[in-house]
Amino acid sequence: MANDLKMKVANAVFETLNPNDIIGIGAGSTVKCLVDLMIEKQFSAKGLVVACPDLSQQFMDAGFEVIPANSVRHIDVYVDGADQIIESRCCLKGGGGRQTMEKLLANMAKSFIVMVDESKWSNRLGKNIPVSIEVLPEARSFVARQCVLLGGQPVYRQGYKTMHNNDIIDVYDLPLAEPLALEDKLNGIIGIVGHGLFAYCRPNEVFISMGNGIRRLN
Ligand code: 5RP
């Protein structure tokens, strides 16, 4: 069922893509549905920038050209999934550990689209979902202690390394009632490379796959 909803939302977003655009692609299983579609339909964009090495490889194996982020001035539309999203369009990402690259591409984009199935929709940010934080390996304990001071409960994602060879701490119960204030605090902690709270950089548009159709929120 969840897969069906992911396919449906990927289809809805696919219909909005413009071949004249430089398109940014995020990470995760919902985004993979979109990548499968783009390959199946041989969708040729002006340029493709991809956050996730696996999906980048999938495109290249299918004969698509993928441009490094450093080679473009901007991205026209960046499409990604999310782990949790609320009405204000603030969201949590990084379940797949790609949040730093995802946030870079989202910031480079003129338009940022998030697509999710209804299981990601919530009335409260942080309900059972952590803020995933990429840290320099040497800063793991320091950052964890800073997060405890903020009221969070850090859990080290053991045995996992990010694409930049850093560590991930998943922090539960951080005070997310004021997401911008929390983002300011996290942005000020030395040793954090990137985190999955997208409050300043929130999507311009959200596509939500519900049992009874697609809801668009902007
Ligand atoms: C990866 C992400 C993903 O977008 C997020 O985890 C959602 O993944 P999925 O579509 O598999 O549920 O932020 O870092």
Side-chain angles (χ1 to χ4, degrees), residues 6 26-32 80-84 92-100 102 115-117 120 157 160 198:
K6 286 177 188 188
S29 55
T30 315
V31 169
K32 184 172 174 1
D80 206 347
D83 298 308
Q84 190 170 62
L92 292 176
K93 295 182 39 56
R98 313 288 188 204
Q99 60 270 43
T100 305
E102 293 171 343
M115 54 177 187
V116 289
D117 64 79
K120 310 296 183 61
R157 208 183 284 185
Y160 183 87
F198 284 60

Side-chain angles (χ1 to χ4, degrees), residues 54-71:
D54 295 350
L55 295 178
S56 184
Q57 192 59 53
Q58 187 183 342
F59 271 125
M60 290 188 293
D61 289 347
F64 286 65
E65 188 187 352
V66 175
I67 314 171
N70 276 323
S71 302

Side-chain angles (χ1 to χ4, degrees), residues 20-214:
N20 298 319
D21 282 346
I22 297 179
I23 296 175
I25 297 289
S29 55
T30 315
V31 169
K32 184 172 174 1
C33 293
L34 179 65
V35 173
D36 290 345
L37 259 177
M38 290 170 77
I39 291 173
E40 184 192 318
K41 310 268 187 202
Q42 288 292 297
F43 182 88
S44 131
K46 183 173 167 193
L48 270 183
V49 186
V50 185
C52 166
D54 295 350
L55 295 178
S56 184
Q57 192 59 53
Q58 187 183 342
F59 271 125
M60 290 188 293
D61 289 347
F64 286 65
E65 188 187 352
V66 175
I67 314 171
N70 276 323
S71 302
V72 293
R73 268 179 193 275
H74 71 266
I75 289 167
D76 292 301
V77 180
Y78 175 64
V79 185
D80 206 347
D83 298 308
Q84 190 170 62
I85 189 154
I86 58 172
E87 190 79 31
S88 66
R89 289 177 279 115
C90 284
C91 56
L92 292 176
K93 295 182 39 56
R98 313 288 188 204
Q99 60 270 43
T100 305
M101 189 67 180
E102 293 171 343
K103 199 175 274 184
L104 170 67
L105 299 195
N107 272 278
M108 288 172 69
K110 292 180 182 167
S111 172
F112 174 23
I113 294 176
V114 159
M115 54 177 187
V116 289
D117 64 79
E118 60 192 359
S119 69
K120 310 296 183 61
W121 186 248
S122 177
N123 56 5
R124 182 167 67 80
L125 207 59
K127 200 181 196 175
N128 304 321
I129 299 287
V131 178
S132 288
I133 301 183
E134 177 172 1
V135 295
L136 290 176
E138 296 82 356
R140 198 177 68 227
S141 300
F142 172 75
V143 172
R145 283 194 297 273
Q146 298 302 307
C147 289
V148 169
L149 291 177
L150 292 174
Q153 299 193 41
V155 177
Y156 170 37
R157 208 183 284 185
Q158 251 169 341
Y160 183 87
K161 284 284 181 190
T162 69
M163 59 193 279
H164 309 289
N165 221 25
N166 291 315
D167 291 339
I168 296 270
I169 313 173
D170 291 309
V171 189
Y172 293 82
D173 299 333
L174 280 167
L176 276 155
E178 290 179 38
L180 292 172
L182 180 65
E183 188 161 0
D184 279 335
K185 286 180 183 149
L186 294 177
N187 290 347
I189 299 176
I190 299 298
I192 291 183
V193 178
H195 60 78
L197 171 57
F198 284 60
Y200 277 108
C201 179
R202 64 183 81 177
N204 305 91
E205 186 161 20
V206 184
F207 286 64
I208 309 156
S209 195
M210 322 285 279
N212 57 358
I214 303 289

